[in-house]
Amino acid sequence: MDHCTPPFSQTTLRRWLGAAAAAAAAVLLGNALSTPAWAQPEAAGPRVPVVEAARRPVGQALLLDATIEAQQQATLAAQASGRITQLHVKAGDRVRAGQVLAVIDDRESSAGVQRASGAVAQAEAELRNAEAHAKRTRELRAQGFVSQAALDTAEAQAAAARAALQQAKAAQLQAALAQGFTRLTAPFDGFVLGTHAEAGDLAAPGRPVLTVYAPQPLRATVHVPASQSALAERAQRVEVRLPEGRWVQPSGRSRLPAADPVAQTVEWRLPLAAADAQGVLPGQAVKVRFAAGSDERLVVPASALLRRGELTAAYVAAPAGAPSAFVLRAVRTGADHGEAGVEILSGLQPGERVALDPVRAGLRGAQPAP
């Protein structure tokens, strides 16, 4: 007996076609998701603005390293020998003028003050006795009971007693000063920059114990090479670059009248205005620029330079047809001329275009902006 497969109904056929279409869509989606990144179309890179490296007139400048210093700074040293019994401050503490900062063992000086006080009391008593004797002798001489020689002797003894009292008082003052040397006091309002001894150390005359400084006013101290001293002298403008990167003009300038015989440099001191010195600390490194006259230099904006450690580079726009739109090139820089730009000594040619944003220029697909 033959058996025949019954024909599909319309409903079954629609279900079967729907399942097949869903399976085909899933296969296509899986293939699309599994396509490697290199086979997918590349996204457009960022547009980076560029600037042309060109020779521009800039001021003849001398750029040097400088250091911030406090105009009021003092190193306090002991003026008496002895153990440091008390040290009331530490580095960073704020102090007031006249505040006792350290105390040296003053037992010896206290004994000296007591001896001097006793000597003054003794001299005063002897002076009173000598003056009383001289007075009685003058009365007796007026009555003719004593000779003139006796009167002269009494008056000489009174004069000697007065001199002895003056000497005793001078010794008392000296002893008081010696006792005062056992206390180190702040000469002005300021901060403790550092301590050079601790409680229990032996102090000796001339040995530093503390260093204090006043936070205002401050100055930038720069050592100009003697060979460049003429340029610094004729500088029309002097500027100081603060640690935050801001250029300011000092409130004055002064030059020491002698050169260092070893380093062959001349020290310049540039006081800063109180408003410009806010947030600046002594010891910080700054830059000083002496600008005199003008000359043409190859410059680019400072934002176009990429600095990584000791490497300074710039992204240069490549010619048409090159594999990459930007090429990283090392450059050697010179003086920073502020708004005029940074001088390029080597690595670039006039007319070449450099990226103003070197970080974005290093991204994949970056293109120069028109």
Side-chain angles (χ1 to χ4, degrees), residues 71 216-219 242 248-252 270-278 280:
Q71 295 193 39
Q216 291 288 350
L218 299 177
R219 69 184 177 212
L242 301 179
V248 299
Q249 291 190 359
S251 58
L270 310 173
L272 301 177
D276 296 332
Q278 294 296 328
V280 182

mmCIF file of all heavy atoms in Angstrom, residues 71 216-219 242 248-252 270-278 280:
data_model
loop_
_atom_site.group_PDB
_atom_site.id
_atom_site.type_symbol
_atom_site.label_atom_id
_atom_site.label_comp_id
_atom_site.label_asym_id
_atom_site.label_seq_id
_atom_site.Cartn_x
_atom_site.Cartn_y
_atom_site.Cartn_z
ATOM 1 N N GLN A 71 63.930 89.636 50.647
ATOM 2 C CA GLN A 71 64.797 90.782 50.878
ATOM 3 C C GLN A 71 65.179 90.885 52.349
ATOM 4 O O GLN A 71 66.241 91.431 52.678
ATOM 5 C CB GLN A 71 64.102 92.063 50.413
ATOM 6 C CG GLN A 71 63.857 92.111 48.916
ATOM 7 C CD GLN A 71 63.454 93.488 48.439
ATOM 8 O OE1 GLN A 71 63.977 94.514 48.906
ATOM 9 N NE2 GLN A 71 62.513 93.549 47.509
ATOM 10 N N GLN A 216 57.383 89.109 52.704
ATOM 11 C CA GLN A 216 57.358 90.267 51.814
ATOM 12 C C GLN A 216 58.362 91.287 52.336
ATOM 13 O O GLN A 216 58.510 91.443 53.551
ATOM 14 C CB GLN A 216 55.964 90.894 51.749
ATOM 15 C CG GLN A 216 54.922 90.040 51.040
ATOM 16 C CD GLN A 216 55.120 89.979 49.538
ATOM 17 O OE1 GLN A 216 55.934 90.730 48.974
ATOM 18 N NE2 GLN A 216 54.424 89.064 48.895
ATOM 19 N N PRO A 217 59.068 91.981 51.448
ATOM 20 C CA PRO A 217 59.050 91.874 49.989
ATOM 21 C C PRO A 217 59.998 90.783 49.494
ATOM 22 O O PRO A 217 60.896 90.346 50.218
ATOM 23 C CB PRO A 217 59.541 93.265 49.561
ATOM 24 C CG PRO A 217 60.448 93.687 50.674
ATOM 25 C CD PRO A 217 59.873 93.118 51.944
ATOM 26 N N LEU A 218 59.786 90.361 48.234
ATOM 27 C CA LEU A 218 60.612 89.348 47.593
ATOM 28 C C LEU A 218 61.327 89.955 46.391
ATOM 29 O O LEU A 218 60.939 91.004 45.880
ATOM 30 C CB LEU A 218 59.763 88.154 47.136
ATOM 31 C CG LEU A 218 59.006 87.390 48.223
ATOM 32 C CD1 LEU A 218 58.170 86.290 47.599
ATOM 33 C CD2 LEU A 218 59.961 86.809 49.250
ATOM 34 N N ARG A 219 62.355 89.271 45.942
ATOM 35 C CA ARG A 219 63.099 89.715 44.764
ATOM 36 C C ARG A 219 63.587 88.499 43.989
ATOM 37 O O ARG A 219 63.721 87.403 44.551
ATOM 38 C CB ARG A 219 64.295 90.587 45.164
ATOM 39 C CG ARG A 219 65.400 89.825 45.881
ATOM 40 C CD ARG A 219 66.508 90.734 46.338
ATOM 41 N NE ARG A 219 67.531 90.001 47.083
ATOM 42 C CZ ARG A 219 68.243 90.512 48.078
ATOM 43 N NH1 ARG A 219 68.041 91.749 48.455
ATOM 44 N NH2 ARG A 219 69.160 89.786 48.697
ATOM 45 N N LEU A 242 57.182 84.082 36.499
ATOM 46 C CA LEU A 242 56.881 83.444 37.768
ATOM 47 C C LEU A 242 56.668 81.938 37.572
ATOM 48 O O LEU A 242 56.453 81.470 36.444
ATOM 49 C CB LEU A 242 55.647 84.087 38.394
ATOM 50 C CG LEU A 242 55.763 85.597 38.671
ATOM 51 C CD1 LEU A 242 54.474 86.117 39.267
ATOM 52 C CD2 LEU A 242 56.938 85.903 39.568
ATOM 53 N N VAL A 248 55.963 89.137 34.579
ATOM 54 C CA VAL A 248 55.721 90.399 35.281
ATOM 55 C C VAL A 248 56.984 91.243 35.203
ATOM 56 O O VAL A 248 58.089 90.737 34.996
ATOM 57 C CB VAL A 248 55.330 90.163 36.757
ATOM 58 C CG1 VAL A 248 54.051 89.349 36.855
ATOM 59 C CG2 VAL A 248 56.451 89.473 37.519
ATOM 60 N N GLN A 249 56.795 92.537 35.370
ATOM 61 C CA GLN A 249 57.930 93.452 35.384
ATOM 62 C C GLN A 249 58.291 93.783 36.829
ATOM 63 O O GLN A 249 57.397 94.082 37.634
ATOM 64 C CB GLN A 249 57.599 94.733 34.619
ATOM 65 C CG GLN A 249 57.468 94.528 33.112
ATOM 66 C CD GLN A 249 57.388 95.837 32.360
ATOM 67 O OE1 GLN A 249 57.421 96.906 32.968
ATOM 68 N NE2 GLN A 249 57.276 95.769 31.045
ATOM 69 N N PRO A 250 59.567 93.725 37.186
ATOM 70 C CA PRO A 250 59.966 94.060 38.560
ATOM 71 C C PRO A 250 59.750 95.535 38.843
ATOM 72 O O PRO A 250 59.691 96.371 37.928
ATOM 73 C CB PRO A 250 61.452 93.679 38.601
ATOM 74 C CG PRO A 250 61.899 93.752 37.182
ATOM 75 C CD PRO A 250 60.712 93.367 36.345
ATOM 76 N N SER A 251 59.629 95.849 40.112
ATOM 77 C CA SER A 251 59.415 97.237 40.513
ATOM 78 C C SER A 251 60.692 98.062 40.451
ATOM 79 O O SER A 251 60.656 99.279 40.603
ATOM 80 C CB SER A 251 58.838 97.284 41.934
ATOM 81 O OG SER A 251 59.704 96.627 42.848
ATOM 82 N N GLY A 252 61.815 97.425 40.238
ATOM 83 C CA GLY A 252 63.096 98.117 40.132
ATOM 84 C C GLY A 252 64.172 97.137 39.721
ATOM 85 O O GLY A 252 63.916 95.935 39.528
ATOM 86 N N LEU A 270 66.201 92.004 41.334
ATOM 87 C CA LEU A 270 64.983 92.559 40.761
ATOM 88 C C LEU A 270 63.852 92.423 41.768
ATOM 89 O O LEU A 270 63.241 91.355 41.887
ATOM 90 C CB LEU A 270 64.629 91.826 39.462
ATOM 91 C CG LEU A 270 65.774 91.690 38.439
ATOM 92 C CD1 LEU A 270 65.345 90.815 37.287
ATOM 93 C CD2 LEU A 270 66.224 93.062 37.949
ATOM 94 N N PRO A 271 63.538 93.468 42.531
ATOM 95 C CA PRO A 271 62.438 93.389 43.511
ATOM 96 C C PRO A 271 61.093 93.249 42.815
ATOM 97 O O PRO A 271 60.851 93.857 41.767
ATOM 98 C CB PRO A 271 62.549 94.701 44.287
ATOM 99 C CG PRO A 271 63.294 95.626 43.380
ATOM 100 C CD PRO A 271 64.213 94.776 42.561
ATOM 101 N N LEU A 272 60.209 92.442 43.407
ATOM 102 C CA LEU A 272 58.879 92.204 42.850
ATOM 103 C C LEU A 272 57.840 92.998 43.627
ATOM 104 O O LEU A 272 57.959 93.171 44.846
ATOM 105 C CB LEU A 272 58.533 90.716 42.911
ATOM 106 C CG LEU A 272 59.478 89.767 42.179
ATOM 107 C CD1 LEU A 272 59.032 88.327 42.395
ATOM 108 C CD2 LEU A 272 59.537 90.091 40.697
ATOM 109 N N ALA A 273 56.826 93.450 42.925
ATOM 110 C CA ALA A 273 55.710 94.135 43.581
ATOM 111 C C ALA A 273 54.952 93.148 44.458
ATOM 112 O O ALA A 273 54.922 91.940 44.187
ATOM 113 C CB ALA A 273 54.783 94.755 42.546
ATOM 114 N N ALA A 274 54.351 93.664 45.523
ATOM 115 C CA ALA A 274 53.648 92.787 46.464
ATOM 116 C C ALA A 274 52.525 92.018 45.782
ATOM 117 O O ALA A 274 52.290 90.841 46.071
ATOM 118 C CB ALA A 274 53.103 93.617 47.629
ATOM 119 N N ALA A 275 51.816 92.662 44.835
ATOM 120 C CA ALA A 275 50.720 91.973 44.149
ATOM 121 C C ALA A 275 51.230 90.845 43.267
ATOM 122 O O ALA A 275 50.591 89.793 43.149
ATOM 123 C CB ALA A 275 49.927 92.980 43.316
ATOM 124 N N ASP A 276 52.398 91.019 42.649
ATOM 125 C CA ASP A 276 52.954 89.982 41.777
ATOM 126 C C ASP A 276 53.574 88.844 42.569
ATOM 127 O O ASP A 276 53.678 87.717 42.059
ATOM 128 C CB ASP A 276 54.006 90.582 40.843
ATOM 129 C CG ASP A 276 53.415 91.600 39.891
ATOM 130 O OD1 ASP A 276 52.216 91.478 39.576
ATOM 131 O OD2 ASP A 276 54.138 92.527 39.482
ATOM 132 N N ALA A 277 54.008 89.112 43.799
ATOM 133 C CA ALA A 277 54.711 88.104 44.582
ATOM 134 C C ALA A 277 53.776 87.229 45.406
ATOM 135 O O ALA A 277 54.249 86.379 46.169
ATOM 136 C CB ALA A 277 55.721 88.782 45.513
ATOM 137 N N GLN A 278 52.468 87.411 45.270
ATOM 138 C CA GLN A 278 51.533 86.592 46.030
ATOM 139 C C GLN A 278 51.645 85.127 45.584
ATOM 140 O O GLN A 278 51.579 84.819 44.399
ATOM 141 C CB GLN A 278 50.100 87.085 45.824
ATOM 142 C CG GLN A 278 49.833 88.463 46.393
ATOM 143 C CD GLN A 278 49.972 88.510 47.912
ATOM 144 O OE1 GLN A 278 49.701 87.537 48.611
ATOM 145 N NE2 GLN A 278 50.392 89.656 48.414
ATOM 146 N N VAL A 280 54.262 83.251 45.775
ATOM 147 C CA VAL A 280 55.633 82.888 45.417
ATOM 148 C C VAL A 280 56.432 82.690 46.699
ATOM 149 O O VAL A 280 56.290 83.456 47.659
ATOM 150 C CB VAL A 280 56.277 83.976 44.532
ATOM 151 C CG1 VAL A 280 57.676 83.572 44.114
ATOM 152 C CG2 VAL A 280 55.416 84.225 43.302
#
